[in-house]
Amino acid sequence: MRYFFVLFFALFELSAVAAVKNVIFMIGDGMGYNQIHISQELLGKKLFLTTLPVSGMVFTSSANNRVTDSAAAATALATAHKTNNQSLGKDPQGQDLPSLLEKLKKTGKRTGLVTTTSLTDATPAAFATHVSNRKEHPLIAQWLLKNKVDLLLGGGRKYFLPLLSQFKKEHYELITSTQELSHILPLKNKRLLGLFHEEHLNYEIDREEIPEMAEEPSLSQMTQAALQFLKNSPKGFFLMVEGGKIDHAGHEIDLATMAREVLEFDHAIEKAVAFAKKRKDTLIIVTADHETAALGFVEATDIPHLQSLQVSAQYMIQKFQKDSEGKFTEESIKTVLKDHAHFPDVTQEELQILQKISNRSVHDASVVLGSLISKRAEVVSVSLKMIQTGNTHGHSSAPVPVFSFGPGAQSFTGTMDNTAIPLKISKLTHVSLH
Ligand SMILES: [Zn+2]
């Protein structure tokens, strides 16, 4: 009997101290509870992520603002420290904060960052960058090189082009198409740099309409390729996957587009869980950095109208034609909104609002068009003024969910602060962040 207990406790101890080998950290940018709920309503089905076995609730405020931006939120998720909005991998005093990725790399794990936005955008950058201003894209590209992240898949080609010869020296293979991504070989001494767009990748909802998107892999394709590339690392891997454009569609109050981005993020989660199910050493964390646009449905919301939308507001803006003075023509606004937004008519007021934004950037104009469409459908959201002038362009302080799967998943339950997530991961992988 005594020996039995000794053996039992020895085994218990062993299982208690065995470190998690692989970590897949999945972040839906701007994916609060309502983004999940709205997507399920518009898609008419349950998302896979809601079937994950463990879930909890996460508060997201930053060091200097109740409402966080993506930079401070990603820094909290990457380093377990709160910082000011706009800061990446630095504390409010400007000191560098070591990230989970950097710590795990030192233990011999291979590392990867995958996103649908530019790779220099806040969420991927926070895991391997230390800059006080998130807008320093060329500098962020240099940090990703300096940290020798083994796999980088996403957009932002223009920031990497000046550094290509240096990336090659560090054994990176450059790929730029879906075709090339499907042929990658996970060689031991090779790193991978996949750049599929000059800036951000296009929206999933527009895939059928934009022929060039054939060259852009989907988030689930990139996730699958990343897992193939990293899976045989002897000491395991750390992979961050971001559904980065859920946030963009949120800022544009473009709910149909947002739902398709959430769905593609969900497909990526499904791929990751299928991978982890075949082994017992892989922890998956799914969460969001913050909620975007305080989105919600109320009784009056015209859900069938939102469900009928088949292209993004961005696509519609680009279909408007301009007259000799550079103003969107009345004719083209009416045609495009009839064909794609399913407006039976366009009011004089709506015409004026849209003609006024003829010279704005596609995103800024889409914010206005998306708001118009959502207003007709009685969607609840943050004001247009807050999107156009706020520090975070319309994020909210609403808590976000966390879901987990695999060894150690149980510790991600209950309510927590965003900094608790990397801290728990660091304990499970036996590295120190504090
Ligand atoms: Zn945002």
Side-chain angles (χ1 to χ4, degrees):
M1 197 63 184
R2 225 177 104 200
Y3 289 113
F4 173 79
F5 275 115
V6 169
L7 185 65
F8 178 81
F9 283 111
L11 280 173
F12 180 79
E13 191 118 284
L14 261 181
S15 68
V17 295
V20 168
K21 189 175 178 190
N22 305 318
V23 177
I24 308 173
F25 197 174
M26 309 190 76
I27 303 173
D29 200 307
M31 190 189 71
Y33 288 94
N34 267 3
Q35 277 70 10
I36 293 171
H37 171 247
I38 288 167
S39 300
Q40 293 199 140
E41 291 274 323
L42 295 188
L43 299 163
K45 64 175 183 185
K46 202 169 164 179
L47 289 168
F48 173 78
L49 63 82
T50 64
T51 67
L52 291 175
V54 184
S55 66
M57 183 167 92
V58 185
F59 294 98
T60 66
S61 67
S62 69
N64 69 337
N65 199 322
R66 182 184 300 121
V67 182
T68 188
D69 74 338
S70 286
T75 300
L77 292 173
T79 72
H81 286 85
K82 297 272 190 194
T83 192
N84 294 342
N85 287 3
Q86 318 297 332
S87 272
L88 283 174
K90 277 185 182 286
D91 72 11
Q93 285 73 43
Q95 294 294 313
D96 289 5
L97 298 163
S99 77
L100 202 48
L101 181 145
E102 289 164 335
K103 289 278 185 171
L104 289 172
K105 191 176 178 73
K106 280 193 185 140
T107 70
K109 290 193 199 303
R110 299 197 86 197
T111 56
L113 298 171
V114 173
T115 181
T116 46
T117 66
S118 169
L119 280 157
T120 59
D121 239 41
T123 308
F127 285 86
T129 302
H130 307 280
V131 297
S132 8
N133 182 351
R134 60 182 289 183
K135 294 198 184 89
E136 295 199 60
H137 295 277
L139 188 57
I140 293 169
Q142 284 180 28
W143 266 107
L144 296 175
L145 169 68
K146 194 177 168 194
N147 257 316
K148 299 190 184 78
V149 181
D150 297 291
L151 169 134
L152 293 162
L153 301 178
R157 192 157 50 217
K158 64 181 181 188
Y159 305 116
F160 290 86
L161 287 180
L163 302 170
L164 280 189
S165 62
Q166 292 176 62
F167 270 96
K168 281 193 180 130
K169 259 188 226 154
E170 297 295 350
H171 313 287
Y172 280 89
E173 181 189 341
L174 172 70
I175 57 168
T176 56
S177 70
T178 309
Q179 179 77 359
E180 287 174 299
L181 183 69
S182 61
H183 291 117
I184 54 159
L185 293 171
L187 300 175
K188 233 196 230 158
N189 299 316
K190 203 174 76 174
R191 300 195 172 101
L192 193 62
L193 176 62
L195 300 168
F196 307 107
H197 200 283
E198 290 303 304
E199 187 88 55
H200 310 306
L201 274 60
N202 283 292
Y203 284 128
E204 265 317 311
I205 197 170
D206 295 329
R207 195 169 275 281
E208 313 269 274
E209 308 291 334
I210 302 177
E212 308 89 77
M213 269 187 86
E215 294 302 300
E216 283 179 30
S218 66
L219 185 62
S220 57
Q221 283 173 323
M222 290 193 284
T223 304
Q224 183 75 7
L227 293 171
Q228 287 308 310
F229 192 80
L230 298 170
K231 74 174 179 189
N232 293 325
S233 318
K235 299 210 166 157
F237 64 82
F238 173 84
L239 172 65
M240 193 291 299
V241 175
E242 184 199 22
K245 297 204 60 170
I246 299 168
D247 173 70
H248 294 194
H251 285 283
E252 291 164 2
I253 323 288
D254 184 349
L255 274 59
T257 299
M258 187 201 77
R260 289 291 299 274
E261 293 301 307
V262 170
L263 179 65
E264 186 51 37
F265 182 54
D266 199 52
H267 289 330
I269 297 166
E270 216 169 335
K271 298 271 184 214
V273 171
F275 172 87
K277 268 190 175 159
K278 287 190 222 133
R279 36 207 303 160
K280 293 200 158 42
D281 56 5
T282 304
L283 170 67
I284 299 174
I285 304 298
V286 179
T287 190
D289 50 354
H290 55 75
E291 197 274 347
T292 300
L295 294 182
F297 282 169
V298 289
E299 284 171 76
T301 305
D302 187 351
I303 291 172
H305 185 216
L306 295 170
Q307 284 173 322
S308 76
L309 303 173
Q310 301 296 325
V311 295
S312 68
Q314 279 203 8
Y315 179 83
M316 291 185 229
I317 289 287
Q318 291 173 91
K319 284 284 157 189
F320 290 165
Q321 272 155 21
K322 290 183 177 176
D323 61 19
S324 55
E325 285 157 30
K327 216 158 87 178
F328 293 145
T329 66
E330 232 182 272
E331 180 70 26
S332 73
I333 291 177
K334 283 182 175 163
T335 314
V336 171
L337 292 192
K338 185 165 177 263
D339 290 353
H340 295 298
H342 309 134
F343 279 17
D345 54 71
V346 182
T347 66
Q348 216 42 45
E349 195 198 344
E350 286 169 335
L351 268 176
Q352 277 172 8
I353 291 172
L354 291 172
Q355 283 186 317
K356 237 199 248 167
I357 55 162
S358 302
N359 294 318
R360 301 259 187 92
S361 72
V362 174
H363 171 72
D364 288 353
S366 303
V367 164
V368 175
L369 176 58
S371 300
L372 277 185
I373 297 171
S374 285
K375 195 172 163 196
R376 279 209 180 195
E378 299 276 3
V379 169
V380 179
S381 70
V382 72
S383 70
L384 190 55
K385 192 179 160 204
M386 191 43 65
I387 297 173
Q388 288 168 334
T389 62
N391 173 284
T392 67
H393 303 287
H395 292 178
S396 84
S397 64
V400 297
V402 57
F403 304 95
S404 53
F405 178 91
Q410 315 82 287
S411 49
F412 298 84
T413 188
T415 60
M416 65 197 87
D417 209 71
N418 55 5
T419 50
I421 295 177
L423 215 50
K424 288 173 197 284
I425 298 175
S426 71
K427 282 193 182 122
L428 290 163
T429 49
H430 298 187
V431 292
S432 160
L433 279 173
H434 273 296

